[in-house]
Amino acid sequence: MKVQVKKDAFKIPNLFGYFRIILAVVFAIIYLNADSPTDYYLAAGIIALSGFTDFIDGQIARRFHMITDFGKILDPVADKITQGTIAFCLTTKFPWMIALVILFLIKESYLGIAGLKILKKIDSNEGAKWYGKISTVTLYVITFVLILFPEMPDLPANILIFICMAVMLNAFILYIRLYRRLLT
Protein backbone atom coordinates (compact mmCIF):
# COMPACT_ATOMS: atom_id res chain seq x y z
CA MET A 1 0.00 0.00 0.00
CA LYS A 2 2.77 2.45 0.94
CA VAL A 3 4.62 1.76 -2.31
CA GLN A 4 1.37 2.27 -4.29
CA VAL A 5 0.76 5.68 -2.66
CA LYS A 6 4.30 6.78 -3.58
CA LYS A 7 3.75 5.62 -7.15
CA ASP A 8 0.30 7.24 -7.37
CA ALA A 9 1.51 10.51 -5.84
CA PHE A 10 3.46 11.37 -8.98
CA LYS A 11 0.85 10.52 -11.61
CA ILE A 12 0.11 13.48 -13.88
CA PRO A 13 -3.39 14.24 -12.54
CA ASN A 14 -2.03 14.34 -9.00
CA LEU A 15 0.77 16.70 -10.05
CA PHE A 16 -1.98 19.06 -11.21
CA GLY A 17 -3.51 18.79 -7.74
CA TYR A 18 -0.25 19.93 -6.13
CA PHE A 19 0.00 22.72 -8.68
CA ARG A 20 -3.50 23.94 -7.75
CA ILE A 21 -2.50 24.12 -4.10
CA ILE A 22 0.54 26.19 -5.05
CA LEU A 23 -1.67 28.41 -7.22
CA ALA A 24 -3.94 29.04 -4.21
CA VAL A 25 -0.96 30.37 -2.26
CA VAL A 26 0.21 32.50 -5.20
CA PHE A 27 -3.33 33.85 -5.61
CA ALA A 28 -3.46 34.85 -1.93
CA ILE A 29 -0.13 36.66 -2.12
CA ILE A 30 -1.10 38.58 -5.24
CA TYR A 31 -4.67 39.37 -4.14
CA LEU A 32 -3.75 40.48 -0.63
CA ASN A 33 -1.00 42.75 -1.98
CA ALA A 34 -2.95 44.05 -5.01
CA ASP A 35 -2.89 47.77 -5.53
CA SER A 36 -3.95 48.10 -9.17
CA PRO A 37 -6.57 46.63 -11.51
CA THR A 38 -3.78 44.67 -13.20
CA ASP A 39 -3.04 42.87 -9.93
CA TYR A 40 -6.69 41.86 -9.57
CA TYR A 41 -6.81 40.67 -13.18
CA LEU A 42 -3.68 38.62 -12.53
CA ALA A 43 -5.29 37.12 -9.42
CA ALA A 44 -8.41 36.27 -11.46
CA GLY A 45 -6.20 34.73 -14.14
CA ILE A 46 -4.57 32.51 -11.54
CA ILE A 47 -7.99 31.27 -10.43
CA ALA A 48 -8.95 30.67 -14.06
CA LEU A 49 -5.74 28.66 -14.54
CA SER A 50 -6.50 26.70 -11.38
CA GLY A 51 -9.98 25.88 -12.65
CA PHE A 52 -8.60 24.85 -16.03
CA THR A 53 -6.03 22.53 -14.45
CA ASP A 54 -8.78 21.04 -12.26
CA PHE A 55 -10.76 20.24 -15.40
CA ILE A 56 -7.71 18.89 -17.25
CA ASP A 57 -6.57 16.62 -14.41
CA GLY A 58 -9.98 14.96 -14.36
CA GLN A 59 -9.94 14.48 -18.11
CA ILE A 60 -6.45 12.98 -18.05
CA ALA A 61 -7.27 10.72 -15.12
CA ARG A 62 -10.37 9.31 -16.82
CA ARG A 63 -9.04 9.11 -20.38
CA PHE A 64 -5.70 7.49 -19.48
CA HIS A 65 -6.96 5.37 -16.58
CA MET A 66 -4.94 7.29 -14.00
CA ILE A 67 -7.68 7.51 -11.37
CA THR A 68 -6.11 6.63 -8.03
CA ASP A 69 -7.34 6.41 -4.45
CA PHE A 70 -4.72 9.03 -3.59
CA GLY A 71 -6.07 11.32 -6.30
CA LYS A 72 -9.62 10.87 -5.00
CA ILE A 73 -8.40 12.46 -1.78
CA LEU A 74 -5.97 15.02 -3.21
CA ASP A 75 -8.38 16.51 -5.78
CA PRO A 76 -11.11 17.55 -3.33
CA VAL A 77 -8.49 18.73 -0.83
CA ALA A 78 -6.94 20.96 -3.51
CA ASP A 79 -10.45 22.20 -4.39
CA LYS A 80 -11.29 23.07 -0.78
CA ILE A 81 -7.94 24.76 -0.18
CA THR A 82 -8.48 26.86 -3.31
CA GLN A 83 -12.09 27.71 -2.50
CA GLY A 84 -11.34 28.53 1.13
CA THR A 85 -8.35 30.67 0.18
CA ILE A 86 -10.38 32.66 -2.34
CA ALA A 87 -13.27 33.22 0.07
CA PHE A 88 -10.96 34.15 2.93
CA CYS A 89 -9.02 36.64 0.80
CA LEU A 90 -12.24 38.27 -0.36
CA THR A 91 -13.17 39.05 3.25
CA THR A 92 -10.64 41.88 3.05
CA LYS A 93 -12.81 43.70 0.47
CA PHE A 94 -16.30 42.37 1.12
CA PRO A 95 -17.30 42.07 4.80
CA TRP A 96 -20.23 39.70 4.15
CA MET A 97 -17.74 37.15 2.85
CA ILE A 98 -16.97 36.43 6.50
CA ALA A 99 -20.42 34.83 6.84
CA LEU A 100 -19.79 32.81 3.69
CA VAL A 101 -16.41 31.64 5.03
CA ILE A 102 -18.06 30.53 8.28
CA LEU A 103 -20.76 28.62 6.38
CA PHE A 104 -18.08 27.10 4.12
CA LEU A 105 -16.02 25.92 7.12
CA ILE A 106 -19.05 24.43 8.89
CA LYS A 107 -20.24 22.69 5.72
CA GLU A 108 -16.86 21.28 4.78
CA SER A 109 -16.11 20.16 8.35
CA TYR A 110 -19.42 18.33 8.56
CA LEU A 111 -18.97 16.75 5.13
CA GLY A 112 -15.44 15.66 5.97
CA ILE A 113 -16.37 14.06 9.29
CA ALA A 114 -19.60 12.48 8.03
CA GLY A 115 -17.82 11.32 4.87
CA LEU A 116 -15.22 9.49 6.96
CA LYS A 117 -17.97 7.83 9.02
CA ILE A 118 -19.73 6.72 5.84
CA LEU A 119 -16.47 5.42 4.40
CA LYS A 120 -15.93 3.40 7.56
CA LYS A 121 -19.50 2.08 7.55
CA ILE A 122 -20.04 1.17 3.91
CA ASP A 123 -16.45 1.22 2.60
CA SER A 124 -17.47 3.50 -0.24
CA ASN A 125 -17.13 7.15 -1.12
CA GLU A 126 -20.37 8.63 -2.39
CA GLY A 127 -18.55 11.37 -4.30
CA ALA A 128 -19.90 14.79 -5.19
CA LYS A 129 -23.59 15.13 -6.02
CA TRP A 130 -25.12 17.53 -8.54
CA TYR A 131 -26.09 20.02 -5.83
CA GLY A 132 -22.53 20.05 -4.52
CA LYS A 133 -21.21 20.69 -8.01
CA ILE A 134 -23.69 23.54 -8.52
CA SER A 135 -22.58 25.02 -5.20
CA THR A 136 -18.94 24.81 -6.26
CA VAL A 137 -19.59 26.39 -9.67
CA THR A 138 -21.64 29.16 -8.04
CA LEU A 139 -18.84 29.86 -5.56
CA TYR A 140 -16.23 30.02 -8.32
CA VAL A 141 -18.30 32.22 -10.64
CA ILE A 142 -19.32 34.69 -7.95
CA THR A 143 -15.89 34.93 -6.35
CA PHE A 144 -14.33 35.31 -9.82
CA VAL A 145 -16.62 38.29 -10.47
CA LEU A 146 -15.76 39.78 -7.08
CA ILE A 147 -12.04 39.35 -7.79
CA LEU A 148 -12.38 41.07 -11.16
CA PHE A 149 -14.38 43.96 -9.67
CA PRO A 150 -12.85 44.68 -6.24
CA GLU A 151 -14.51 48.11 -6.10
CA MET A 152 -18.00 46.73 -6.75
CA PRO A 153 -20.60 48.65 -4.73
CA ASP A 154 -21.88 46.95 -1.57
CA LEU A 155 -25.40 46.20 -2.74
CA PRO A 156 -24.58 44.11 -5.85
CA ALA A 157 -21.61 42.49 -4.08
CA ASN A 158 -23.78 41.52 -1.11
CA ILE A 159 -26.51 40.17 -3.40
CA LEU A 160 -23.94 37.95 -5.11
CA ILE A 161 -22.57 36.79 -1.77
CA PHE A 162 -26.09 35.99 -0.46
CA ILE A 163 -26.88 34.03 -3.65
CA CYS A 164 -23.71 32.03 -3.14
CA MET A 165 -24.56 31.42 0.51
CA ALA A 166 -28.11 30.30 -0.37
CA VAL A 167 -26.84 27.80 -2.95
CA MET A 168 -24.17 26.58 -0.51
CA LEU A 169 -26.69 26.22 2.34
CA ASN A 170 -29.06 24.29 0.07
CA ALA A 171 -26.27 21.87 -0.90
CA PHE A 172 -25.32 21.51 2.76
CA ILE A 173 -28.89 20.61 3.74
CA LEU A 174 -29.18 18.09 0.92
CA TYR A 175 -25.86 16.49 1.92
CA ILE A 176 -26.99 16.30 5.56
CA ARG A 177 -30.13 14.44 4.43
CA LEU A 178 -28.09 12.07 2.26
CA TYR A 179 -25.48 11.38 4.91
CA ARG A 180 -28.07 10.79 7.63
CA ARG A 181 -29.80 8.27 5.40
CA LEU A 182 -26.51 6.50 4.72
CA LEU A 183 -25.51 6.48 8.37
CA THR A 184 -28.78 5.01 9.68
Side-chain angles (χ1 to χ4, degrees):
M1 178 70 173
K2 193 175 188 180
V3 172
Q4 186 64 35
V5 169
K6 283 184 180 180
K7 180 180 169 189
D8 290 348
F10 295 102
K11 291 202 173 192
I12 292 170
N14 295 336
L15 295 176
F16 278 115
Y18 307 136
F19 183 60
R20 288 191 354 254
I21 292 169
I22 293 167
L23 286 176
V25 174
V26 172
F27 162 80
I29 292 167
I30 291 171
Y31 185 86
L32 294 174
N33 292 297
D35 60 3
S36 72
T38 303
D39 292 337
Y40 291 108
Y41 297 152
L42 179 58
I46 290 168
I47 295 309
L49 177 61
S50 179
F52 178 72
T53 59
D54 186 22
F55 173 77
I56 292 297
D57 78 12
Q59 294 298 312
I60 291 170
R62 285 185 287 282
R63 178 168 284 171
F64 297 103
H65 308 290
M66 293 182 176
I67 296 172
T68 65
D69 288 335
F70 181 75
K72 289 178 186 177
I73 295 168
L74 177 63
D75 188 65
V77 167
D79 290 343
K80 299 313 167 197
I81 288 171
T82 301
Q83 293 165 14
T85 300
I86 294 167
F88 180 77
C89 287
L90 287 172
T91 64
T92 62
K93 296 276 183 204
F94 305 100
W96 274 104
M97 284 299 295
I98 294 169
L100 189 140
V101 168
I102 291 168
L103 175 59
F104 176 82
L105 291 172
I106 292 168
K107 174 183 166 267
E108 294 307 326
S109 296
Y110 173 83
L111 294 180
I113 293 166
L116 288 173
K117 288 180 180 181
I118 290 168
L119 190 58
K120 218 178 225 187
K121 180 179 179 182
I122 63 175
D123 196 33
S124 176
N125 180 349
E126 279 294 303
K129 300 297 180 197
W130 66 268
Y131 39 85
K133 292 179 185 219
I134 289 173
S135 177
T136 297
V137 168
T138 303
L139 177 67
Y140 273 120
V141 168
I142 288 175
T143 56
F144 190 78
V145 169
L146 294 173
I147 293 165
L148 281 175
F149 302 103
E151 302 302 324
M152 182 182 291
D154 288 344
L155 182 62
N158 291 341
I159 289 170
L160 290 175
I161 292 167
F162 290 138
I163 290 169
C164 190
M165 288 176 64
V167 172
M168 187 181 293
L169 183 60
N170 180 62
F172 186 26
I173 290 166
L174 292 173
Y175 273 120
I176 289 171
R177 288 181 182 168
L178 172 67
Y179 285 10
R180 283 190 176 163
R181 192 172 65 245
L182 291 171
L183 287 169
T184 55

